[in-house]
Amino acid sequence: PIRSASGTLVDQVFVAKGQLVTVPIYAMNTSSRLWGADAEAFDPGRFLDEARAPKQIPGHKHILTFAHGQRMCPGRHYALAQLKVSPLACIE
């Protein structure tokens, strides 16, 4: 459930045919409400700890960078393989 602009608690949102819907990926990936006070800090370790991952976001390791579902990033598997081969490469 979410709060509408009027303050009412709602559990569904109606979208008209043809209406554009966007997902604020950057805002969700850096939300202090979801990730804590250090949400904007570069901390790759946060994605390795399942206990720190917010349950409100579906997808791989609960980040939306690669998206989810039919429109998932085709480079996702390559990026994850790179991190597994050299986990410190992204930190250097």
Side-chain angles (χ1 to χ4, degrees), residues 33-80:
R33 195 176 103 210
L34 296 172
W35 294 100
D38 67 341
E40 292 199 33
F42 180 71
D43 179 11
R46 86 175 76 229
F47 307 113
L48 301 175
D49 184 1
E50 288 291 325
R52 292 174 66 187
K55 306 304 180 228
Q56 303 94 317
I57 302 176
H60 181 76
K61 297 294 183 187
H62 308 288
I63 59 171
L64 292 176
T65 304
F66 297 120
H68 191 65
Q70 291 179 332
R71 299 194 182 264
M72 182 171 39
C73 174
R76 170 185 167 245
H77 295 291
Y78 175 75
L80 293 173

Side-chain angles (χ1 to χ4, degrees), residues 6-23:
S6 67
T8 308
L9 195 60
V10 295
D11 62 357
Q12 54 187 313
V13 177
F14 297 99
V15 179
K17 181 178 180 180
Q19 184 176 355
L20 180 64
V21 176
T22 61
V23 177

